[in-house]
Amino acid sequence: MELVAPDLHARICAFYDEYGFVCDDEIERWPDLFTDDATYKIVSRENHERELPLPTMSCDGRGMLRDRVTSMLRTSVYVPRQIRHLIANVRITGREDERVGTIANFAVFESFEDTGSRILAVGRYYDLIATSGPELRFKEKVCVYDGNLVPGSIIYPL
Amino acid sequence: MELVAPDLHARICAFYDEYGFVCDDEIERWPDLFTDDATYKIVSRENHERELPLPTMSCDGRGMLRDRVTSMLRTSVYVPRQIRHLIANVRITGREDERVGTIANFAVFESFEDTGSRILAVGRYYDLIATSGPELRFKEKVCVYDGNLVPGSIIYPL
Amino acid sequence: MELVAPDLHARICAFYDEYGFVCDDEIERWPDLFTDDATYKIVSRENHERELPLPTMSCDGRGMLRDRVTSMLRTSVYVPRQIRHLIANVRITGREDERVGTIANFAVFESFEDTGSRILAVGRYYDLIATSGPELRFKEKVCVYDGNLVPGSIIYPL
Amino acid sequence: MTIGSIRTPPWARIPYDIYSDPSIYEREQERIFWGRSWNYVGLEAEIPRHGDFKRTAVGDRPVVLARDKDGSIGVFENRCAHRGVAFCYRTHGNAKALQCPYHQWTYDLRGNLIGIPFRKGFQGQGGLPDDFDPAEHSLTKLSVTTRNGVIFASYADGMEPIEAYLGEILPWFDRMFDGRELRVLGYWRQRIECNWKLIIENIRDPYHATLLHVFLVSFGLNRADQPGRVVFDSHGRHYAAMNERLDRDASAEAKREMKSIMDLQLEGPKLLDVIREFPGRETLVMQTIWPNIILQQQSNALAIRQVITTGDPGGFDFHWTVFGYATDDEAMTQRRLRLANLMGPSGLVSIDDTEVVELTQKGTGPFSEAQGVIEMGGLTTGDEDHVITEGPLRAFHKYYREVMGL
Amino acid sequence: MTIGSIRTPPWARIPYDIYSDPSIYEREQERIFWGRSWNYVGLEAEIPRHGDFKRTAVGDRPVVLARDKDGSIGVFENRCAHRGVAFCYRTHGNAKALQCPYHQWTYDLRGNLIGIPFRKGFQGQGGLPDDFDPAEHSLTKLSVTTRNGVIFASYADGMEPIEAYLGEILPWFDRMFDGRELRVLGYWRQRIECNWKLIIENIRDPYHATLLHVFLVSFGLNRADQPGRVVFDSHGRHYAAMNERLDRDASAEAKREMKSIMDLQLEGPKLLDVIREFPGRETLVMQTIWPNIILQQQSNALAIRQVITTGDPGGFDFHWTVFGYATDDEAMTQRRLRLANLMGPSGLVSIDDTEVVELTQKGTGPFSEAQGVIEMGGLTTGDEDHVITEGPLRAFHKYYREVMGL
Amino acid sequence: MTIGSIRTPPWARIPYDIYSDPSIYEREQERIFWGRSWNYVGLEAEIPRHGDFKRTAVGDRPVVLARDKDGSIGVFENRCAHRGVAFCYRTHGNAKALQCPYHQWTYDLRGNLIGIPFRKGFQGQGGLPDDFDPAEHSLTKLSVTTRNGVIFASYADGMEPIEAYLGEILPWFDRMFDGRELRVLGYWRQRIECNWKLIIENIRDPYHATLLHVFLVSFGLNRADQPGRVVFDSHGRHYAAMNERLDRDASAEAKREMKSIMDLQLEGPKLLDVIREFPGRETLVMQTIWPNIILQQQSNALAIRQVITTGDPGGFDFHWTVFGYATDDEAMTQRRLRLANLMGPSGLVSIDDTEVVELTQKGTGPFSEAQGVIEMGGLTTGDEDHVITEGPLRAFHKYYREVMGL
Ligand code: FES
Ligand code: FES
Ligand code: FES
Ligand SMILES: [Fe+3]
Ligand SMILES: [Fe+3]
Ligand SMILES: [Fe+3]
């Protein structure tokens, strides 16, 4: 266990809470939670562990994050669904300058208009959070999902 | 992100922890977590989003909360089950007078005596918490479940 | 709700976060999170409620915890899998001398190399944490899983 | 499957393979849902405006209902005439035309094919053959009828008018749907792990109410000594049961039979703040309309419960539409919504029913050669002036056997 | 399915369709579980007092066992004689009588119908026909027998006494169940994704233990040079294998064959603090009693493992009852509980078995025309003085083919 | 199933039972995957060194491919010759020999049985019969061939060489696999809830791209006026479609047909930073190689998509292998990885395809007697110089019907 100023840990937990909320219900704001030059990746555990570089989704910079949102909201064709994040076990793994390394576990569920809920993905975040601004922002976010076999598609961010 | 006195956020998180505990294992105490004039509702996302007023379960005041408990414990006929709450991503959304608006994500699992565990419901709470008394109490609690198709019944509170 | 020094609650939450992390990804360190004389048990809700003493897994002392790890890593034959803990609703239930009684809810998911993720177990921890050393340690840990019918095997700790 | 003797007609027994056998299930689809029946598909109030559409199903088959410009309603399969995409993937919406996402074949609100991109090819190449006739490639349309705001569809040609179809049950149908504009208050959807017929039978079994529903009985809401009766259309396929709430105490005889009485008091009595709104003395009217709905009037709580089969003899989706009238004032709406606590996935009454029908699937599934016994009330299948009878179940099985050729 | 030649009798091969084919599965239910067999259903210690009941299953069929006032035991189907509800929805309990929730038909603890609400109607209306005879509408009862606290049930009439049924295996059965009162220490339940026979075969395969179970071998708990043998009843349907633990080091020959040996030391040696409690030199006795149980005595760890089929050739529920004797002192109970770490869903030994049987389902499912080869130990099917044999598997398949008419 | 008339040949219709009928599914396994076909199983680059192995499947059947000492490749069933364990339970690895965990029967990297513990018994007892011939108990081996680093396997004897098998499609295959060493960049795995043929048909349907894929169209990446064409082998079982990206604006005619155009601009244009790397003007080449793969070259994004059936007509596992060349510099690798955003489980293009094929299963499943209509581009089944055609689908169904005997 790292010794960390409790307020930083609390701020980071609150930031993850915000992240989950935004993914689930205010997807247009999703890019705002990243720094301009942030990288975002969704990666299968298989590729992650075998050190194969292929991501399932990747955005390099806020422009690409915004393009993803455009596709979710305007261009992609898909059956409507609601995702729901549960984020827990947030841990600070390192700290240097104005960046904090964090990990956290996630479970993301998905529900369709006339079905129940199912597991979309569970896994772990490996993140780098920029602490320099007034608000925390992801500088890097890597979402590693454990179940390599994706049920259908991952349309919204994990 | 709201700026909130950290102790209030911690108290609220602890209150949600208590709520989950009581729902899962001390259901008789469930009405005690509400104010006398509280309203409690379980609502499908479908009705919630379409602004259709139909709740799946609703209690108006503590008397009705207690009647629900009576039915769970004494009058309803159902195969015994254990529910289990995971509550995460608690956020304070507003504050006025002695009330705090909060949201949180929940996953509720259910298990029968000779089966494994399955998802009963995942979704979000939209709550109003009264902070005036010595203990926090729900003034309003709305549990919106994402998977509109309920597997069987929702007998215990979400 | 117990009144507890907030820093203790935070330390305990961090300890659970650590525990989940270690179970999922650094299993060799798992015994280190226990005191030398700790007892660890996984118990079905059925046995727990009927007061039947049979555990599903039990370790009495750190030696047995280490033997379990040896079996997971070296001797047991099983299809590779990744488990993932979500721990929430951590509550302090009592405190005396240098021990804190805690409960928490868990959901543990499992994923295989070419499948999606499924629920392995959900349930509740009933723990006793030793606070005397520089780091928190479990003195007793009882993992009660709700879904009595285990899907296959529980190989890694809950 | 040979059932029946001089004493016991076949319909006084329920052969349990009808709840689990896949070939019987398939025959049900053909003969019942896709046969000579009017299937409920929705309410006019759900698609009030031009372009409104709603997705639902007739048995296993997905269909769409839509409101055309002239106010008429089309019901057609949710299966693109091109290559079979279930093109309508929202539960409801509003659109000028319905477009399949795959190749954007476009249909009007009656299901007619009105647009095919690249039909004439592109830059002189490709396209459909000159003799391709879009008129032959419309969506499969169902016959449609409505009565007082309720929409029915049928795969059969030349179906009798809905009024003739409902027959003797029509007055009861009209009591609930009296021409007033309806207001949908919301939906419930449940997955119930049992054969679809079990929930229909549950309603056609007035005998169980004072025994199973301890909540009703203990809080004095339902009693064996309440006057009740059951009526049918001439085929016995539709059914209505009525009860009157009494204000005097339960009789000793009633208490003796209803062993589960606990004499409880509501702490939140507002739950049952009901008022009389329909003519007649009946406070509870439950109906089943062959083949796919249940109509409920429990005091002021009104609902349509629709059975959606899903290719599985052992389970179905149960869609509830809870409604009131456009003329309801706020107090009435609140009354209906509070009373909704009795019904649906968390219904103080419905919970019991959901559980017992699922337990019946568990109890009958591994016993394909066993039979249920439905002799309460004798061997009658007609109208009766009391509810201590399984006549409605016998009538159901008599008609079911006839349609199914069993 | 033609198997066999002069050299190779049919039972030296395992045709893989028996693990996946639904029609074979159905025939197994009829001929094996519901045929001429005594199925384990529970222990007397689980229902010691008047009114105690327990829910379990015989093959796919849910049944209940209950203790009557006179101490006798009834076993009957968990299917209400009225309309088929699996009325007993708790795993166990205590009740004066068993009541179905749907219409409260009530049965005594032998399964006799003793109460029907509104049987005579109400206020002179309804009710059952006068000639309705409750005696004809009891729950379906199974034959019951017990031996030394173990309860068996059968669908067949005129079954031989359990002692004759167990035949030559009786002494081994009696070794574990010697008349002492049993104490249930707890239950495990697992869902295993393979055909039920694979777990029975796993036990009837003493050849795998020193090869698969690296834990046992590496910590010196199981070795090829331990004396062992296998015995059967005259049909070959029941089976027992015995091993003796040796204290000397493994022989060179043993080490050569058991390639996975790692020579590890337990850091928590208390795990294996065992004492000799049964007569004879055997420390490990595993039995299979046709058709549905495995009996385990691994030093002081005692368990019954029951197969519950669930309508699915590709999976079953596995119910373990772990027990000791009422006379055990606390130290002995703790010993049994610690040793339980070897077994069950987290068993240091059982994990391996669970995995390989599931992998066998994966490996055989898509190969319905392929066969397994069981020739280890020659082509024998009888008792042997060693355990490097697949004779017990051949004996199983010989009897299985006979019963199944394959 | 009678389809076809003078005007309409049978292959201009798709009978929907081929997507759901279990008996058709089984016949497909026998005749297609396990019949006279070369099934893709992997890349040489995945098992470069001696002892490397990979687990995959041919239709429903699990197989393993492994690299032997001499550099040759073996492909054999993942089913232990002893009792059927799917012994290889890792997706990949390196081993000197493959050992089944159950009884440690050991196979060399060609699938030959080379080790049987206790084959000669132990201490003079047990063991296999003297005449037991390990050579008769090897793993079932498939025929293997490779071309330029791509590995195929077949259950059929005497298959034609892969070059002859690929026929006229060979140059297109060789364009992607030109002999350069490949570098695997990673894998994707998806569970898709539809019949496996629907995803093959999706690729053989060049007509949908400018209609379904709003992302491509709106950002100007795909347009109807891009030159394109389709080619086949002589059987019509393999297929390639090519497109050229144009730099001029879309024509008015193109815009008219592609109604979903939105004229958007990428905020992160780096996504589409592509360079020309293959000879010729084609920027997009999609191929299907009968029966189980799709080859994709979308500018610099290269992938093999493999269909793994799983015993279920209504769903399959879809395994993607994304690759580049060993000679790629870092910039090229990054380019491929960025462009990978178009494909896979989160692909800006693939999402659409995954959704429509699943919707097709929903739309066709309950309509086993209905048919799809594939007449775009006339009734041709051969090469064409444009992509406004369903010729590739007709060619597919023509060959499919032939192989299946439908
Ligand atoms: S499948 Fe609907 S337009 Fe092609
Ligand atoms: S079904 Fe059991 S009493 Fe009616
Ligand atoms: S099953 Fe593979 S070695 Fe026995
Ligand atoms: Fe009811
Ligand atoms: Fe074993
Ligand atoms: Fe496409």
Side-chain angles (χ1 to χ4, degrees), chain B residues 2-122:
Chain B
E2 302 285 324
L3 284 183
V4 167
D7 59 336
L8 177 65
H9 188 265
R11 279 183 75 201
I12 285 174
C13 285
F15 183 53
Y16 276 104
D17 294 343
E18 171 87 353
Y19 179 81
F21 171 75
V22 165
C23 288
D24 295 349
D25 283 350
E26 297 191 358
I27 192 64
E28 327 75 45
R29 291 211 295 120
W30 177 63
D32 302 343
L33 302 185
F34 292 80
T35 62
D36 277 353
D37 62 343
T39 57
Y40 173 82
K41 269 185 205 168
I42 297 177
V43 184
S44 70
R45 175 149 295 271
E46 174 174 37
N47 289 339
H48 182 73
E49 286 191 349
R50 296 177 72 171
E51 296 183 2
L52 294 167
L54 181 72
T56 298
M57 188 191 290
S58 70
C59 298
D60 196 350
R62 214 186 289 184
M64 286 179 78
L65 289 161
R66 287 218 191 90
D67 290 336
R68 265 286 165 183
V69 172
T70 301
S71 78
M72 292 169 213
L73 296 180
R74 302 187 58 189
T75 68
S76 286
V77 170
Y78 56 91
V79 176
R81 66 204 64 193
Q82 173 68 44
I83 58 163
R84 186 66 54 198
H85 281 67
L86 260 79
I87 300 172
N89 295 63
V90 176
R91 268 172 100 240
I92 294 178
T93 54
R95 190 169 178 180
E96 64 166 61
D97 298 335
E98 301 196 297
R99 292 171 183 189
V100 180
T102 56
I103 58 174
N105 285 353
F106 64 83
V108 181
F109 302 89
E110 72 180 350
S111 311
F112 298 84
E113 289 185 342
D114 51 7
T115 69
S117 300
R118 68 176 183 186
I119 299 169
L120 173 62
V122 302

Side-chain angles (χ1 to χ4, degrees), chain E residues 202-203 205 208-209 212-213 216 305 349-350 352-353 356, chain F residues 102:
Chain E
N202 174 263
I203 298 300
D205 167 18
H208 81 268
L212 171 63
H213 298 304
L216 289 182
R305 310 180 189 174
V349 175
S350 296
D352 305 335
D353 290 316
V356 295
Chain F
Y102 208 167

Side-chain angles (χ1 to χ4, degrees), chain E residues 14-72:
Chain E
I14 304 176
Y16 288 155
D17 56 355
I18 65 169
Y19 298 137
S20 298
D21 187 298
S23 65
I24 290 177
Y25 179 88
E26 272 176 46
R27 209 197 292 194
E28 288 176 353
Q29 293 291 323
E30 292 290 344
R31 300 202 178 185
I32 296 176
F33 298 105
W34 308 335
R36 295 203 64 77
S37 62
W38 281 117
N39 288 266
Y40 169 84
V41 290
L43 297 174
E44 294 211 47
E46 294 179 283
I47 50 167
R49 292 162 307 135
H50 170 217
D52 285 345
F53 64 85
K54 178 195 162 185
R55 180 160 59 85
T56 184
V58 171
D60 286 354
R61 290 186 177 161
V63 303
V64 174
L65 46 158
R67 176 79 67 175
D68 205 355
K69 205 168 193 172
D70 63 359
S72 67

Side-chain angles (χ1 to χ4, degrees), chain D residues 5-26:
Chain D
S5 67
I6 292 168
R7 180 187 169 285
T8 320
W11 50 84
R13 293 291 180 272
I14 304 176
Y16 288 155
D17 57 354
I18 66 168
Y19 298 137
S20 299
D21 187 299
S23 65
I24 290 176
Y25 179 88
E26 272 176 47

Side-chain angles (χ1 to χ4, degrees), chain D residues 7 16 201-202 205 207-208 211-212 224-225 253 257 260 359-360 363 366-367 370 372-373 375-377 386 388 390, chain E residues 60-62 77 79 82-86 89 101-105 117-118 122-123 125-129 131-132 137:
Chain D
R7 180 187 169 285
Y16 288 155
E201 291 174 0
N202 174 264
D205 167 18
Y207 167 39
H208 81 268
L211 297 166
L212 171 62
D225 54 0
E253 183 187 2
E257 298 291 329
S260 45
L359 286 171
T360 306
F367 300 96
V373 175
E375 301 197 0
M376 187 58 65
H386 65 97
I388 309 299
E390 294 177 319
Chain E
D60 286 354
R61 290 186 177 161
E77 290 180 351
R79 166 173 67 83
H82 178 213
R83 280 180 50 211
V85 170
Y89 53 77
Y102 208 167
H103 312 85
Q104 301 186 4
W105 285 29
F118 301 113
F122 185 74
Q123 297 176 334
Q125 290 181 302
L128 287 170
D131 64 354
F132 181 94
H137 297 275

Side-chain angles (χ1 to χ4, degrees), chain D residues 4-224:
Chain D
S5 67
I6 292 168
R7 180 187 169 285
T8 320
W11 50 84
R13 293 291 180 272
I14 304 176
Y16 288 155
D17 57 354
I18 66 168
Y19 298 137
S20 299
D21 187 299
S23 65
I24 290 176
Y25 179 88
E26 272 176 47
R27 209 197 292 195
E28 287 175 355
Q29 293 292 323
E30 292 290 344
R31 300 202 178 186
I32 296 175
F33 297 106
W34 308 335
R36 294 203 65 78
S37 62
W38 281 117
N39 288 266
Y40 169 84
V41 290
L43 296 174
E44 295 212 46
E46 294 178 284
I47 49 167
R49 293 163 306 135
H50 170 215
D52 285 344
F53 65 86
K54 178 195 163 184
R55 180 160 59 85
T56 184
V58 172
D60 286 354
R61 291 187 175 160
V63 303
V64 175
L65 47 158
R67 176 80 67 174
D68 204 356
K69 204 167 191 171
D70 63 359
S72 67
I73 291 164
V75 178
F76 34 82
E77 290 180 351
N78 185 15
R79 167 173 65 84
C80 181
H82 178 212
R83 281 181 50 212
V85 169
F87 59 88
C88 178
Y89 54 78
R90 303 222 59 137
T91 51
H92 67 286
N94 183 282
K96 290 277 166 295
L98 296 163
Q99 193 174 67
C100 177
Y102 208 168
H103 312 87
Q104 300 186 5
W105 284 28
T106 305
Y107 304 92
D108 70 16
L109 296 162
R110 307 305 298 254
N112 297 307
L113 179 56
I114 54 169
I116 304 181
F118 301 112
R119 177 178 171 192
K120 299 293 175 200
F122 186 72
Q123 297 176 335
Q125 291 180 302
L128 287 170
D130 289 340
D131 64 353
F132 182 94
D133 181 3
E136 287 175 15
H137 297 274
S138 289
L139 299 173
T140 301
K141 299 168 191 175
L142 284 74
S143 306
V144 186
T145 191
T146 66
R147 178 156 182 97
N148 291 343
V150 185
I151 312 168
F152 297 88
S154 180
Y155 272 97
D157 288 329
M159 278 296 292
E160 63 263 41
I162 186 67
E163 292 75 13
Y165 181 77
L166 293 173
E168 294 77 1
I169 220 74
L170 182 64
W172 294 104
F173 181 90
D174 281 356
R175 180 170 177 273
M176 208 165 167
F177 303 107
D178 57 7
R180 273 184 290 169
E181 193 183 330
L182 304 178
R183 178 179 165 215
V184 173
L185 299 176
Y187 301 95
W188 291 317
R189 299 172 193 265
Q190 290 180 276
R191 176 68 188 177
I192 300 186
E193 299 298 341
C194 73
N195 187 269
W196 68 274
K197 295 185 294 299
L198 284 164
I199 201 70
I200 303 286
E201 291 174 0
N202 174 264
I203 298 300
R204 292 181 72 126
D205 167 18
Y207 167 39
H208 81 268
T210 54
L211 297 166
L212 171 62
H213 298 303
V214 183
F215 179 88
L216 289 182
V217 169
S218 296
F219 288 104
L221 310 182
N222 202 332
R223 290 160 32 190

